[in-house]
Amino acid sequence: MQQSRKKGITPCIPPKKNRKTQIEYNRELYKQRHKVENMFGRLKDWRRIATRYDRCAHTFFSAICIAATVIFYLN
């Protein structure tokens, strides 16, 4: 935590509801971060991407683009 603050990174994780002293966080930033994390989770459902079958970086990136497009289209 200390190292990330030295680099200028601020956490945007909401505190638990039962916490006695609530810590403020940026709700909009958390919503964006949550969308990105969900997308990574959905991409890892694709076996080809999770196990990284492709040797070349450009082929792997192409597989990610195709998977992201299909995921976006289905939702």
Side-chain angles (χ1 to χ4, degrees):
M1 182 79 126
Q2 295 293 337
Q3 294 175 351
S4 60
R5 290 193 189 248
K6 287 179 184 176
K7 293 180 181 179
I9 301 170
T10 55
C12 62
I13 302 169
K16 289 187 171 183
K17 293 188 183 225
N18 63 352
R19 187 176 178 145
K20 291 182 181 179
T21 56
Q22 293 291 319
I23 299 173
E24 292 190 22
Y25 67 100
N26 188 343
R27 288 180 185 263
E28 291 302 316
L29 186 62
Y30 178 72
K31 286 180 184 179
Q32 293 173 0
R33 178 181 151 252
H34 187 66
K35 286 181 183 178
V36 171
E37 285 184 5
N38 285 345
M39 187 62 180
F40 274 109
R42 289 184 183 135
L43 281 173
K44 288 185 178 182
D45 288 342
W46 289 59
R47 185 174 179 205
R48 178 183 196 105
I49 294 171
T51 56
R52 188 152 188 202
Y53 282 150
D54 305 309
R55 291 184 182 184
C56 301
H58 65 278
T59 309
F60 181 65
F61 182 69
S62 299
I64 290 175
C65 290
I66 291 169
T69 304
V70 170
I71 290 168
F72 180 77
Y73 179 73
L74 292 177
N75 288 332

